[in-house]
Amino acid sequence: MKIYVVYDSEGEHTKFLAQSIAEGAQSVEGAEVYIDHVDNADIRILPEMDAIIWGGPGHFGTISSGLKAWIDQLGYLWAEGKLVDKVGAVFCTTATTHGGLETAMLNMITPMLHQGMIIVGLPGNIPENALYGSYYGVGVTCPVDSKEFISENGLQLGRALGARVSTVTQNLKKA
């Protein structure tokens, strides 16, 4: 199964989260994972993918302009139904605790629903998610004054989302 992780990142916080998601996805046998920054991500290969995970920094509760510009190129794929029944998931980073993580992720999910994708989030039975995360995807607060780019809890959530997307995709392919 082919999984594509696409991210926007301005200060490397989201890049590290994207890498942890790719690592988690790759941990499932049979997963072939691709990862690209939006500046290099090729929308023409999306129909070949079985799952697409996209994310970026949240900006005032919404999608970053880089990720939004990339998503806005998907109109012809929508018109042709090329992403219907693909698995989709989202992730986001913000600089403040109440920086709009969940609102931004809901904004990222909306285009996936328009495309007819099957959305995968993180359930509460993942211990780190119950204490630290979100059911909509992975949302991580990365304070700008922190000495680390992203917490270990955030990286664990990223790996958990990647593995869950791979597992769900694998199960759907078997069905």
Side-chain angles (χ1 to χ4, degrees), residues 74-126:
L74 305 181
Y76 84 93
L77 295 172
W78 168 83
E80 296 176 9
K82 297 287 188 180
L83 302 183
V84 171
D85 293 336
K86 305 282 184 190
V87 173
V90 299
F91 59 99
C92 182
T93 61
T94 59
T96 60
T97 302
H98 300 288
L101 282 168
E102 290 188 336
T103 304
M105 287 189 286
L106 287 171
N107 283 312
M108 291 178 201
I109 288 170
T110 301
M112 289 182 168
L113 291 170
H114 280 257
Q115 293 283 352
M117 296 173 71
I118 301 164
I119 308 304
V120 172
L122 278 179
N125 67 345
I126 295 171

Side-chain angles (χ1 to χ4, degrees), residues 5-167:
V5 179
V6 177
Y7 67 94
D8 187 17
S9 187
E10 297 152 358
E12 297 208 339
H13 300 89
T14 314
K15 175 184 175 182
F16 290 130
L17 182 55
Q19 289 170 339
S20 73
I21 292 167
E23 180 184 321
Q26 190 68 52
S27 72
V28 175
E29 187 176 339
E32 188 176 335
V33 180
Y34 305 86
I35 182 170
D36 278 318
H37 186 278
V38 291
D39 292 343
N40 303 315
D42 185 356
I43 63 169
R44 294 171 296 179
I45 68 169
L46 293 178
E48 301 167 22
M49 298 297 129
D50 299 301
I52 304 158
I53 307 168
W54 64 51
H59 288 186
F60 310 106
T62 194
I63 303 171
S64 68
S65 61
L67 181 59
K68 178 73 169 84
W70 184 81
I71 290 170
D72 285 347
Q73 298 177 57
L74 305 181
Y76 84 93
L77 295 172
W78 168 83
E80 296 176 9
K82 297 287 188 180
L83 302 183
V84 171
D85 293 336
K86 305 282 184 190
V87 173
V90 299
F91 59 99
C92 182
T93 61
T94 59
T96 60
T97 302
H98 300 288
L101 282 168
E102 290 188 336
T103 304
M105 287 189 286
L106 287 171
N107 283 312
M108 291 178 201
I109 288 170
T110 301
M112 289 182 168
L113 291 170
H114 280 257
Q115 293 283 352
M117 296 173 71
I118 301 164
I119 308 304
V120 172
L122 278 179
N125 67 345
I126 295 171
E128 296 83 8
N129 196 46
L131 297 173
Y132 184 74
S134 170
Y135 301 109
Y136 306 117
V138 173
V140 179
T141 302
C142 305
V144 282
D145 61 351
S146 175
K147 290 182 173 57
E148 60 183 355
F149 275 108
I150 188 168
S151 69
E152 183 54 37
N153 280 341
L155 296 173
Q156 287 176 357
L157 286 171
R159 289 187 288 271
L161 180 67
R164 179 160 163 75
V165 167
S166 284
T167 300

